[in-house]
Amino acid sequence: MNTVFLNGDFIHADQARVSVFDRGFLLGDGVYEVIPVYAGRPFRLIQHLQRLQRSLDGVRMQNPYSDDKWSDIIAQLVTENRQGDQAVYLQVTRGVAPRDHVFPEGVEPTAFVMSNPIKPLPESYKRDGIKAITVEDIRWSQCDIKAITLLPNSLLRQKAQDVGAQEALLIRDGFMTEGSASNSYAVLDGVLYTAPKDEKVLPGITRDLVLELADKAGINYREQAVSDADLHRAEEIWISSSTREVLPVTTLDDKPVATGKPGPIWQQIDALYQRYKQEGKV
């Protein structure tokens, strides 16, 4: 039975209770983070907590804890849930108040943290690549905030699931923004492209690491959005996220991406990423 953290207490998961008047439940008024933990070590924890603070600032919400306190909470939870590699889910809502669109005053935020084992991905995802589709980006205009209101993302991811694909790549105004649950990349003429950090994309922690590794390896990259037309002629397409790491897309809209096999630049980045993890650079 898993232990979770809720508003200052570590309790069994089946004992956790949140009021039906919590604004997260009624209005989706909250933000979250997902932090992978390898061999007991949170992966790039400082960067995740910095992004949490940016999200909280973006929705004008108080951070209930300091970074040190969050770190202690995560460390204790991971220890109590001894499950090997884990994905820590952290959520903060504005708290409990009568339902009203206007922000309440004097309300304590609700803080919740849980962890679950990271599910191993099928070996075929790296050996053969994954399938993706392109869909219109129907999300709101501040996707840089990691908000718990994920219904648009879920609808888009379900569209991919319905046709046997593992991800939906989102197109807004003719250009790729990101995936429904990932950042996305394309290789064109040997150059790696990914959308710039702005209000249309989530500033991915794994994305930042991918670009750091590319820079150190001398791989040319540009933080520039790729058009839908260029995406469909790309030499390589990838996605990345905290729990799926970096995966090659080898089929897009039922057509092979280049040779239909994972490309050499992805192979290089994946090898560097795995080495980074093994060296414990978290």
Side-chain angles (χ1 to χ4, degrees), residues 117-153:
I118 295 178
K119 296 179 181 178
L121 296 173
E123 292 182 5
S124 63
Y125 282 10
K126 288 192 174 184
R127 183 187 67 238
D128 303 324
I130 65 171
K131 296 180 180 181
I133 60 172
T134 53
V135 296
E136 181 184 357
D137 190 346
I138 61 171
R139 304 169 303 161
W140 71 327
S141 61
Q142 285 196 262
C143 297
D144 54 319
I145 296 173
K146 201 168 177 67
I148 64 174
T149 44
L150 291 174
L151 182 56
N153 301 68

PDB file of all heavy atoms in Angstrom, residues 117-153:
ATOM      1  N   PRO A 117       5.809   3.454  -9.361  1.00  0.00           N
ATOM      2  CA  PRO A 117       6.926   2.923 -10.143  1.00  0.00           C
ATOM      3  C   PRO A 117       6.881   3.436 -11.578  1.00  0.00           C
ATOM      4  O   PRO A 117       5.801   3.571 -12.166  1.00  0.00           O
ATOM      5  CB  PRO A 117       6.703   1.404 -10.095  1.00  0.00           C
ATOM      6  CG  PRO A 117       5.809   1.168  -8.919  1.00  0.00           C
ATOM      7  CD  PRO A 117       4.951   2.389  -8.802  1.00  0.00           C
ATOM      8  N   ILE A 118       8.041   3.746 -12.127  1.00  0.00           N
ATOM      9  CA  ILE A 118       8.108   4.100 -13.537  1.00  0.00           C
ATOM     10  C   ILE A 118       7.943   2.822 -14.355  1.00  0.00           C
ATOM     11  O   ILE A 118       8.710   1.877 -14.217  1.00  0.00           O
ATOM     12  CB  ILE A 118       9.447   4.779 -13.886  1.00  0.00           C
ATOM     13  CG1 ILE A 118       9.557   6.126 -13.162  1.00  0.00           C
ATOM     14  CG2 ILE A 118       9.581   4.980 -15.391  1.00  0.00           C
ATOM     15  CD1 ILE A 118      10.860   6.854 -13.403  1.00  0.00           C
ATOM     16  N   LYS A 119       6.922   2.805 -15.182  1.00  0.00           N
ATOM     17  CA  LYS A 119       6.655   1.616 -15.979  1.00  0.00           C
ATOM     18  C   LYS A 119       7.674   1.511 -17.119  1.00  0.00           C
ATOM     19  O   LYS A 119       7.857   2.475 -17.875  1.00  0.00           O
ATOM     20  CB  LYS A 119       5.248   1.669 -16.559  1.00  0.00           C
ATOM     21  CG  LYS A 119       4.144   1.658 -15.513  1.00  0.00           C
ATOM     22  CD  LYS A 119       2.771   1.730 -16.168  1.00  0.00           C
ATOM     23  CE  LYS A 119       1.661   1.739 -15.128  1.00  0.00           C
ATOM     24  NZ  LYS A 119       0.310   1.855 -15.749  1.00  0.00           N
ATOM     25  N   PRO A 120       8.333   0.362 -17.242  1.00  0.00           N
ATOM     26  CA  PRO A 120       9.275   0.208 -18.359  1.00  0.00           C
ATOM     27  C   PRO A 120       8.555   0.347 -19.692  1.00  0.00           C
ATOM     28  O   PRO A 120       7.449  -0.174 -19.875  1.00  0.00           O
ATOM     29  CB  PRO A 120       9.818  -1.217 -18.170  1.00  0.00           C
ATOM     30  CG  PRO A 120       9.513  -1.577 -16.745  1.00  0.00           C
ATOM     31  CD  PRO A 120       8.254  -0.844 -16.396  1.00  0.00           C
ATOM     32  N   LEU A 121       9.166   1.054 -20.616  1.00  0.00           N
ATOM     33  CA  LEU A 121       8.591   1.191 -21.948  1.00  0.00           C
ATOM     34  C   LEU A 121       8.878  -0.060 -22.766  1.00  0.00           C
ATOM     35  O   LEU A 121       9.901  -0.721 -22.562  1.00  0.00           O
ATOM     36  CB  LEU A 121       9.191   2.409 -22.648  1.00  0.00           C
ATOM     37  CG  LEU A 121       8.896   3.766 -22.021  1.00  0.00           C
ATOM     38  CD1 LEU A 121       9.688   4.855 -22.730  1.00  0.00           C
ATOM     39  CD2 LEU A 121       7.405   4.078 -22.069  1.00  0.00           C
ATOM     40  N   PRO A 122       8.002  -0.402 -23.685  1.00  0.00           N
ATOM     41  CA  PRO A 122       8.288  -1.543 -24.558  1.00  0.00           C
ATOM     42  C   PRO A 122       9.625  -1.355 -25.282  1.00  0.00           C
ATOM     43  O   PRO A 122       9.946  -0.246 -25.737  1.00  0.00           O
ATOM     44  CB  PRO A 122       7.115  -1.523 -25.545  1.00  0.00           C
ATOM     45  CG  PRO A 122       6.012  -0.818 -24.822  1.00  0.00           C
ATOM     46  CD  PRO A 122       6.692   0.214 -23.973  1.00  0.00           C
ATOM     47  N   GLU A 123      10.404  -2.418 -25.384  1.00  0.00           N
ATOM     48  CA  GLU A 123      11.694  -2.333 -26.067  1.00  0.00           C
ATOM     49  C   GLU A 123      11.534  -1.869 -27.505  1.00  0.00           C
ATOM     50  O   GLU A 123      12.432  -1.221 -28.071  1.00  0.00           O
ATOM     51  CB  GLU A 123      12.388  -3.692 -26.026  1.00  0.00           C
ATOM     52  CG  GLU A 123      12.823  -4.120 -24.629  1.00  0.00           C
ATOM     53  CD  GLU A 123      13.552  -5.450 -24.639  1.00  0.00           C
ATOM     54  OE1 GLU A 123      13.803  -5.980 -25.747  1.00  0.00           O
ATOM     55  OE2 GLU A 123      13.872  -5.939 -23.540  1.00  0.00           O
ATOM     56  N   SER A 124      10.388  -2.149 -28.106  1.00  0.00           N
ATOM     57  CA  SER A 124      10.166  -1.769 -29.496  1.00  0.00           C
ATOM     58  C   SER A 124      10.149  -0.258 -29.696  1.00  0.00           C
ATOM     59  O   SER A 124      10.410   0.225 -30.804  1.00  0.00           O
ATOM     60  CB  SER A 124       8.842  -2.365 -30.002  1.00  0.00           C
ATOM     61  OG  SER A 124       7.746  -1.835 -29.254  1.00  0.00           O
ATOM     62  N   TYR A 125       9.857   0.497 -28.644  1.00  0.00           N
ATOM     63  CA  TYR A 125       9.784   1.945 -28.784  1.00  0.00           C
ATOM     64  C   TYR A 125      11.141   2.525 -29.204  1.00  0.00           C
ATOM     65  O   TYR A 125      11.199   3.493 -29.965  1.00  0.00           O
ATOM     66  CB  TYR A 125       9.329   2.601 -27.488  1.00  0.00           C
ATOM     67  CG  TYR A 125       7.844   2.515 -27.217  1.00  0.00           C
ATOM     68  CD1 TYR A 125       7.015   1.707 -27.989  1.00  0.00           C
ATOM     69  CD2 TYR A 125       7.260   3.241 -26.185  1.00  0.00           C
ATOM     70  CE1 TYR A 125       5.656   1.611 -27.734  1.00  0.00           C
ATOM     71  CE2 TYR A 125       5.897   3.172 -25.929  1.00  0.00           C
ATOM     72  CZ  TYR A 125       5.104   2.347 -26.713  1.00  0.00           C
ATOM     73  OH  TYR A 125       3.762   2.273 -26.455  1.00  0.00           O
ATOM     74  N   LYS A 126      12.213   1.951 -28.665  1.00  0.00           N
ATOM     75  CA  LYS A 126      13.544   2.425 -29.051  1.00  0.00           C
ATOM     76  C   LYS A 126      14.088   1.663 -30.253  1.00  0.00           C
ATOM     77  O   LYS A 126      14.788   2.229 -31.089  1.00  0.00           O
ATOM     78  CB  LYS A 126      14.506   2.319 -27.869  1.00  0.00           C
ATOM     79  CG  LYS A 126      14.251   3.341 -26.776  1.00  0.00           C
ATOM     80  CD  LYS A 126      15.388   3.390 -25.778  1.00  0.00           C
ATOM     81  CE  LYS A 126      15.188   4.523 -24.782  1.00  0.00           C
ATOM     82  NZ  LYS A 126      16.336   4.662 -23.855  1.00  0.00           N
ATOM     83  N   ARG A 127      13.757   0.409 -30.325  1.00  0.00           N
ATOM     84  CA  ARG A 127      14.271  -0.407 -31.443  1.00  0.00           C
ATOM     85  C   ARG A 127      13.643   0.018 -32.767  1.00  0.00           C
ATOM     86  O   ARG A 127      14.326   0.188 -33.782  1.00  0.00           O
ATOM     87  CB  ARG A 127      13.993  -1.875 -31.176  1.00  0.00           C
ATOM     88  CG  ARG A 127      14.558  -2.813 -32.254  1.00  0.00           C
ATOM     89  CD  ARG A 127      14.106  -4.247 -32.029  1.00  0.00           C
ATOM     90  NE  ARG A 127      12.661  -4.407 -32.218  1.00  0.00           N
ATOM     91  CZ  ARG A 127      11.835  -4.872 -31.289  1.00  0.00           C
ATOM     92  NH1 ARG A 127      12.303  -5.224 -30.096  1.00  0.00           N
ATOM     93  NH2 ARG A 127      10.535  -4.985 -31.540  1.00  0.00           N
ATOM     94  N   ASP A 128      12.324   0.208 -32.749  1.00  0.00           N
ATOM     95  CA  ASP A 128      11.596   0.486 -33.985  1.00  0.00           C
ATOM     96  C   ASP A 128      11.026   1.893 -34.057  1.00  0.00           C
ATOM     97  O   ASP A 128      10.619   2.342 -35.130  1.00  0.00           O
ATOM     98  CB  ASP A 128      10.435  -0.505 -34.139  1.00  0.00           C
ATOM     99  CG  ASP A 128      10.892  -1.949 -34.118  1.00  0.00           C
ATOM    100  OD1 ASP A 128      11.981  -2.226 -34.653  1.00  0.00           O
ATOM    101  OD2 ASP A 128      10.169  -2.795 -33.547  1.00  0.00           O
ATOM    102  N   GLY A 129      10.967   2.580 -32.930  1.00  0.00           N
ATOM    103  CA  GLY A 129      10.340   3.892 -32.893  1.00  0.00           C
ATOM    104  C   GLY A 129       8.854   3.799 -32.609  1.00  0.00           C
ATOM    105  O   GLY A 129       8.288   2.711 -32.522  1.00  0.00           O
ATOM    106  N   ILE A 130       8.219   4.943 -32.450  1.00  0.00           N
ATOM    107  CA  ILE A 130       6.791   4.991 -32.150  1.00  0.00           C
ATOM    108  C   ILE A 130       6.024   5.668 -33.283  1.00  0.00           C
ATOM    109  O   ILE A 130       6.610   6.290 -34.169  1.00  0.00           O
ATOM    110  CB  ILE A 130       6.512   5.730 -30.826  1.00  0.00           C
ATOM    111  CG1 ILE A 130       6.908   7.209 -30.935  1.00  0.00           C
ATOM    112  CG2 ILE A 130       7.234   5.049 -29.670  1.00  0.00           C
ATOM    113  CD1 ILE A 130       6.472   8.056 -29.762  1.00  0.00           C
ATOM    114  N   LYS A 131       4.705   5.543 -33.211  1.00  0.00           N
ATOM    115  CA  LYS A 131       3.824   6.183 -34.186  1.00  0.00           C
ATOM    116  C   LYS A 131       3.245   7.465 -33.577  1.00  0.00           C
ATOM    117  O   LYS A 131       2.950   7.517 -32.388  1.00  0.00           O
ATOM    118  CB  LYS A 131       2.689   5.247 -34.570  1.00  0.00           C
ATOM    119  CG  LYS A 131       3.139   3.975 -35.284  1.00  0.00           C
ATOM    120  CD  LYS A 131       1.938   3.108 -35.631  1.00  0.00           C
ATOM    121  CE  LYS A 131       2.368   1.835 -36.340  1.00  0.00           C
ATOM    122  NZ  LYS A 131       1.192   0.980 -36.708  1.00  0.00           N
ATOM    123  N   ALA A 132       3.074   8.463 -34.419  1.00  0.00           N
ATOM    124  CA  ALA A 132       2.445   9.719 -33.989  1.00  0.00           C
ATOM    125  C   ALA A 132       1.530  10.224 -35.090  1.00  0.00           C
ATOM    126  O   ALA A 132       1.650   9.834 -36.258  1.00  0.00           O
ATOM    127  CB  ALA A 132       3.502  10.763 -33.657  1.00  0.00           C
ATOM    128  N   ILE A 133       0.610  11.066 -34.688  1.00  0.00           N
ATOM    129  CA  ILE A 133      -0.256  11.751 -35.637  1.00  0.00           C
ATOM    130  C   ILE A 133      -0.130  13.252 -35.405  1.00  0.00           C
ATOM    131  O   ILE A 133       0.324  13.694 -34.350  1.00  0.00           O
ATOM    132  CB  ILE A 133      -1.735  11.323 -35.484  1.00  0.00           C
ATOM    133  CG1 ILE A 133      -2.248  11.651 -34.066  1.00  0.00           C
ATOM    134  CG2 ILE A 133      -1.899   9.841 -35.806  1.00  0.00           C
ATOM    135  CD1 ILE A 133      -3.747  11.431 -33.891  1.00  0.00           C
ATOM    136  N   THR A 134      -0.514  14.037 -36.389  1.00  0.00           N
ATOM    137  CA  THR A 134      -0.573  15.480 -36.206  1.00  0.00           C
ATOM    138  C   THR A 134      -2.031  15.891 -36.016  1.00  0.00           C
ATOM    139  O   THR A 134      -2.935  15.379 -36.688  1.00  0.00           O
ATOM    140  CB  THR A 134       0.017  16.235 -37.415  1.00  0.00           C
ATOM    141  OG1 THR A 134      -0.604  15.784 -38.616  1.00  0.00           O
ATOM    142  CG2 THR A 134       1.520  16.005 -37.503  1.00  0.00           C
ATOM    143  N   VAL A 135      -2.257  16.798 -35.076  1.00  0.00           N
ATOM    144  CA  VAL A 135      -3.605  17.294 -34.780  1.00  0.00           C
ATOM    145  C   VAL A 135      -3.523  18.785 -34.481  1.00  0.00           C
ATOM    146  O   VAL A 135      -2.464  19.309 -34.140  1.00  0.00           O
ATOM    147  CB  VAL A 135      -4.231  16.559 -33.570  1.00  0.00           C
ATOM    148  CG1 VAL A 135      -4.442  15.088 -33.862  1.00  0.00           C
ATOM    149  CG2 VAL A 135      -3.365  16.727 -32.326  1.00  0.00           C
ATOM    150  N   GLU A 136      -4.646  19.447 -34.600  1.00  0.00           N
ATOM    151  CA  GLU A 136      -4.696  20.868 -34.281  1.00  0.00           C
ATOM    152  C   GLU A 136      -4.515  21.082 -32.782  1.00  0.00           C
ATOM    153  O   GLU A 136      -5.105  20.380 -31.958  1.00  0.00           O
ATOM    154  CB  GLU A 136      -6.036  21.451 -34.721  1.00  0.00           C
ATOM    155  CG  GLU A 136      -6.164  22.945 -34.445  1.00  0.00           C
ATOM    156  CD  GLU A 136      -7.525  23.496 -34.805  1.00  0.00           C
ATOM    157  OE1 GLU A 136      -8.362  22.725 -35.317  1.00  0.00           O
ATOM    158  OE2 GLU A 136      -7.768  24.694 -34.557  1.00  0.00           O
ATOM    159  N   ASP A 137      -3.696  22.043 -32.435  1.00  0.00           N
ATOM    160  CA  ASP A 137      -3.449  22.379 -31.034  1.00  0.00           C
ATOM    161  C   ASP A 137      -4.623  23.207 -30.507  1.00  0.00           C
ATOM    162  O   ASP A 137      -4.760  24.389 -30.819  1.00  0.00           O
ATOM    163  CB  ASP A 137      -2.144  23.164 -30.909  1.00  0.00           C
ATOM    164  CG  ASP A 137      -1.679  23.337 -29.469  1.00  0.00           C
ATOM    165  OD1 ASP A 137      -2.491  23.086 -28.548  1.00  0.00           O
ATOM    166  OD2 ASP A 137      -0.521  23.712 -29.261  1.00  0.00           O
ATOM    167  N   ILE A 138      -5.483  22.571 -29.711  1.00  0.00           N
ATOM    168  CA  ILE A 138      -6.701  23.235 -29.222  1.00  0.00           C
ATOM    169  C   ILE A 138      -6.557  23.736 -27.782  1.00  0.00           C
ATOM    170  O   ILE A 138      -7.530  24.172 -27.180  1.00  0.00           O
ATOM    171  CB  ILE A 138      -7.908  22.277 -29.306  1.00  0.00           C
ATOM    172  CG1 ILE A 138      -7.665  21.030 -28.430  1.00  0.00           C
ATOM    173  CG2 ILE A 138      -8.192  21.884 -30.748  1.00  0.00           C
ATOM    174  CD1 ILE A 138      -8.881  20.130 -28.282  1.00  0.00           C
ATOM    175  N   ARG A 139      -5.345  23.693 -27.235  1.00  0.00           N
ATOM    176  CA  ARG A 139      -5.161  24.054 -25.827  1.00  0.00           C
ATOM    177  C   ARG A 139      -5.226  25.570 -25.620  1.00  0.00           C
ATOM    178  O   ARG A 139      -5.292  26.336 -26.571  1.00  0.00           O
ATOM    179  CB  ARG A 139      -3.831  23.513 -25.331  1.00  0.00           C
ATOM    180  CG  ARG A 139      -3.666  22.010 -25.513  1.00  0.00           C
ATOM    181  CD  ARG A 139      -2.237  21.565 -25.260  1.00  0.00           C
ATOM    182  NE  ARG A 139      -1.323  22.281 -26.132  1.00  0.00           N
ATOM    183  CZ  ARG A 139      -0.012  22.398 -25.913  1.00  0.00           C
ATOM    184  NH1 ARG A 139       0.522  21.830 -24.852  1.00  0.00           N
ATOM    185  NH2 ARG A 139       0.765  23.060 -26.750  1.00  0.00           N
ATOM    186  N   TRP A 140      -5.183  25.976 -24.348  1.00  0.00           N
ATOM    187  CA  TRP A 140      -5.265  27.397 -24.034  1.00  0.00           C
ATOM    188  C   TRP A 140      -3.970  28.097 -24.424  1.00  0.00           C
ATOM    189  O   TRP A 140      -3.035  27.483 -24.938  1.00  0.00           O
ATOM    190  CB  TRP A 140      -5.631  27.630 -22.576  1.00  0.00           C
ATOM    191  CG  TRP A 140      -4.576  27.310 -21.543  1.00  0.00           C
ATOM    192  CD1 TRP A 140      -3.627  26.319 -21.593  1.00  0.00           C
ATOM    193  CD2 TRP A 140      -4.366  27.981 -20.310  1.00  0.00           C
ATOM    194  NE1 TRP A 140      -2.862  26.333 -20.466  1.00  0.00           N
ATOM    195  CE2 TRP A 140      -3.283  27.347 -19.659  1.00  0.00           C
ATOM    196  CE3 TRP A 140      -4.992  29.054 -19.660  1.00  0.00           C
ATOM    197  CZ2 TRP A 140      -2.822  27.756 -18.391  1.00  0.00           C
ATOM    198  CZ3 TRP A 140      -4.527  29.449 -18.412  1.00  0.00           C
ATOM    199  CH2 TRP A 140      -3.456  28.805 -17.792  1.00  0.00           C
ATOM    200  N   SER A 141      -3.892  29.407 -24.167  1.00  0.00           N
ATOM    201  CA  SER A 141      -2.793  30.217 -24.685  1.00  0.00           C
ATOM    202  C   SER A 141      -1.630  30.380 -23.715  1.00  0.00           C
ATOM    203  O   SER A 141      -0.702  31.133 -24.004  1.00  0.00           O
ATOM    204  CB  SER A 141      -3.309  31.604 -25.088  1.00  0.00           C
ATOM    205  OG  SER A 141      -3.848  32.273 -23.966  1.00  0.00           O
ATOM    206  N   GLN A 142      -1.660  29.649 -22.573  1.00  0.00           N
ATOM    207  CA  GLN A 142      -0.531  29.746 -21.636  1.00  0.00           C
ATOM    208  C   GLN A 142      -0.034  28.344 -21.281  1.00  0.00           C
ATOM    209  O   GLN A 142      -0.042  27.928 -20.120  1.00  0.00           O
ATOM    210  CB  GLN A 142      -0.932  30.517 -20.379  1.00  0.00           C
ATOM    211  CG  GLN A 142      -1.024  32.011 -20.616  1.00  0.00           C
ATOM    212  CD  GLN A 142      -1.026  32.793 -19.315  1.00  0.00           C
ATOM    213  OE1 GLN A 142      -2.076  33.181 -18.826  1.00  0.00           O
ATOM    214  NE2 GLN A 142       0.152  33.023 -18.771  1.00  0.00           N
ATOM    215  N   CYS A 143       0.421  27.646 -22.303  1.00  0.00           N
ATOM    216  CA  CYS A 143       0.868  26.269 -22.114  1.00  0.00           C
ATOM    217  C   CYS A 143       2.198  26.178 -21.372  1.00  0.00           C
ATOM    218  O   CYS A 143       2.635  25.075 -21.019  1.00  0.00           O
ATOM    219  CB  CYS A 143       0.979  25.575 -23.467  1.00  0.00           C
ATOM    220  SG  CYS A 143      -0.595  25.442 -24.331  1.00  0.00           S
ATOM    221  N   ASP A 144       2.856  27.314 -21.137  1.00  0.00           N
ATOM    222  CA  ASP A 144       4.092  27.310 -20.352  1.00  0.00           C
ATOM    223  C   ASP A 144       3.809  27.099 -18.867  1.00  0.00           C
ATOM    224  O   ASP A 144       4.738  26.813 -18.099  1.00  0.00           O
ATOM    225  CB  ASP A 144       4.860  28.613 -20.560  1.00  0.00           C
ATOM    226  CG  ASP A 144       4.018  29.852 -20.280  1.00  0.00           C
ATOM    227  OD1 ASP A 144       2.831  29.872 -20.668  1.00  0.00           O
ATOM    228  OD2 ASP A 144       4.549  30.804 -19.675  1.00  0.00           O
ATOM    229  N   ILE A 145       2.554  27.227 -18.448  1.00  0.00           N
ATOM    230  CA  ILE A 145       2.155  26.941 -17.065  1.00  0.00           C
ATOM    231  C   ILE A 145       1.736  25.477 -16.989  1.00  0.00           C
ATOM    232  O   ILE A 145       0.883  25.031 -17.744  1.00  0.00           O
ATOM    233  CB  ILE A 145       1.003  27.857 -16.631  1.00  0.00           C
ATOM    234  CG1 ILE A 145       1.458  29.319 -16.624  1.00  0.00           C
ATOM    235  CG2 ILE A 145       0.489  27.451 -15.244  1.00  0.00           C
ATOM    236  CD1 ILE A 145       0.340  30.312 -16.370  1.00  0.00           C
ATOM    237  N   LYS A 146       2.320  24.748 -16.068  1.00  0.00           N
ATOM    238  CA  LYS A 146       2.020  23.314 -15.949  1.00  0.00           C
ATOM    239  C   LYS A 146       0.772  23.153 -15.087  1.00  0.00           C
ATOM    240  O   LYS A 146       0.823  22.783 -13.914  1.00  0.00           O
ATOM    241  CB  LYS A 146       3.223  22.562 -15.366  1.00  0.00           C
ATOM    242  CG  LYS A 146       3.213  21.063 -15.674  1.00  0.00           C
ATOM    243  CD  LYS A 146       4.558  20.445 -15.328  1.00  0.00           C
ATOM    244  CE  LYS A 146       4.560  18.940 -15.544  1.00  0.00           C
ATOM    245  NZ  LYS A 146       4.448  18.554 -16.964  1.00  0.00           N
ATOM    246  N   ALA A 147      -0.373  23.437 -15.699  1.00  0.00           N
ATOM    247  CA  ALA A 147      -1.643  23.449 -14.985  1.00  0.00           C
ATOM    248  C   ALA A 147      -2.268  22.063 -14.975  1.00  0.00           C
ATOM    249  O   ALA A 147      -2.045  21.249 -15.876  1.00  0.00           O
ATOM    250  CB  ALA A 147      -2.591  24.453 -15.634  1.00  0.00           C
ATOM    251  N   ILE A 148      -3.097  21.792 -13.952  1.00  0.00           N
ATOM    252  CA  ILE A 148      -3.746  20.483 -13.839  1.00  0.00           C
ATOM    253  C   ILE A 148      -4.934  20.345 -14.788  1.00  0.00           C
ATOM    254  O   ILE A 148      -5.484  19.255 -14.929  1.00  0.00           O
ATOM    255  CB  ILE A 148      -4.192  20.195 -12.390  1.00  0.00           C
ATOM    256  CG1 ILE A 148      -5.256  21.197 -11.933  1.00  0.00           C
ATOM    257  CG2 ILE A 148      -2.995  20.218 -11.454  1.00  0.00           C
ATOM    258  CD1 ILE A 148      -5.841  20.878 -10.563  1.00  0.00           C
ATOM    259  N   THR A 149      -5.318  21.422 -15.455  1.00  0.00           N
ATOM    260  CA  THR A 149      -6.442  21.388 -16.391  1.00  0.00           C
ATOM    261  C   THR A 149      -5.973  20.774 -17.715  1.00  0.00           C
ATOM    262  O   THR A 149      -5.642  21.488 -18.656  1.00  0.00           O
ATOM    263  CB  THR A 149      -6.975  22.810 -16.625  1.00  0.00           C
ATOM    264  OG1 THR A 149      -5.855  23.698 -16.801  1.00  0.00           O
ATOM    265  CG2 THR A 149      -7.767  23.275 -15.425  1.00  0.00           C
ATOM    266  N   LEU A 150      -5.995  19.454 -17.783  1.00  0.00           N
ATOM    267  CA  LEU A 150      -5.395  18.726 -18.898  1.00  0.00           C
ATOM    268  C   LEU A 150      -6.410  18.070 -19.831  1.00  0.00           C
ATOM    269  O   LEU A 150      -6.047  17.173 -20.598  1.00  0.00           O
ATOM    270  CB  LEU A 150      -4.438  17.652 -18.357  1.00  0.00           C
ATOM    271  CG  LEU A 150      -3.154  18.184 -17.688  1.00  0.00           C
ATOM    272  CD1 LEU A 150      -2.375  17.049 -17.065  1.00  0.00           C
ATOM    273  CD2 LEU A 150      -2.293  18.930 -18.704  1.00  0.00           C
ATOM    274  N   LEU A 151      -7.670  18.503 -19.786  1.00  0.00           N
ATOM    275  CA  LEU A 151      -8.671  17.883 -20.657  1.00  0.00           C
ATOM    276  C   LEU A 151      -8.316  18.017 -22.141  1.00  0.00           C
ATOM    277  O   LEU A 151      -8.413  17.028 -22.881  1.00  0.00           O
ATOM    278  CB  LEU A 151     -10.054  18.471 -20.377  1.00  0.00           C
ATOM    279  CG  LEU A 151     -11.204  17.871 -21.186  1.00  0.00           C
ATOM    280  CD1 LEU A 151     -11.288  16.349 -20.997  1.00  0.00           C
ATOM    281  CD2 LEU A 151     -12.521  18.521 -20.802  1.00  0.00           C
ATOM    282  N   PRO A 152      -7.881  19.189 -22.628  1.00  0.00           N
ATOM    283  CA  PRO A 152      -7.493  19.250 -24.047  1.00  0.00           C
ATOM    284  C   PRO A 152      -6.370  18.270 -24.389  1.00  0.00           C
ATOM    285  O   PRO A 152      -6.422  17.591 -25.420  1.00  0.00           O
ATOM    286  CB  PRO A 152      -7.049  20.709 -24.235  1.00  0.00           C
ATOM    287  CG  PRO A 152      -7.776  21.458 -23.163  1.00  0.00           C
ATOM    288  CD  PRO A 152      -7.810  20.520 -21.991  1.00  0.00           C
ATOM    289  N   ASN A 153      -5.353  18.192 -23.523  1.00  0.00           N
ATOM    290  CA  ASN A 153      -4.259  17.246 -23.765  1.00  0.00           C
ATOM    291  C   ASN A 153      -4.774  15.816 -23.801  1.00  0.00           C
ATOM    292  O   ASN A 153      -4.345  15.006 -24.636  1.00  0.00           O
ATOM    293  CB  ASN A 153      -3.206  17.373 -22.666  1.00  0.00           C
ATOM    294  CG  ASN A 153      -2.621  18.762 -22.566  1.00  0.00           C
ATOM    295  OD1 ASN A 153      -3.315  19.704 -22.182  1.00  0.00           O
ATOM    296  ND2 ASN A 153      -1.355  18.907 -22.913  1.00  0.00           N
TER     297      ASN A 153
END
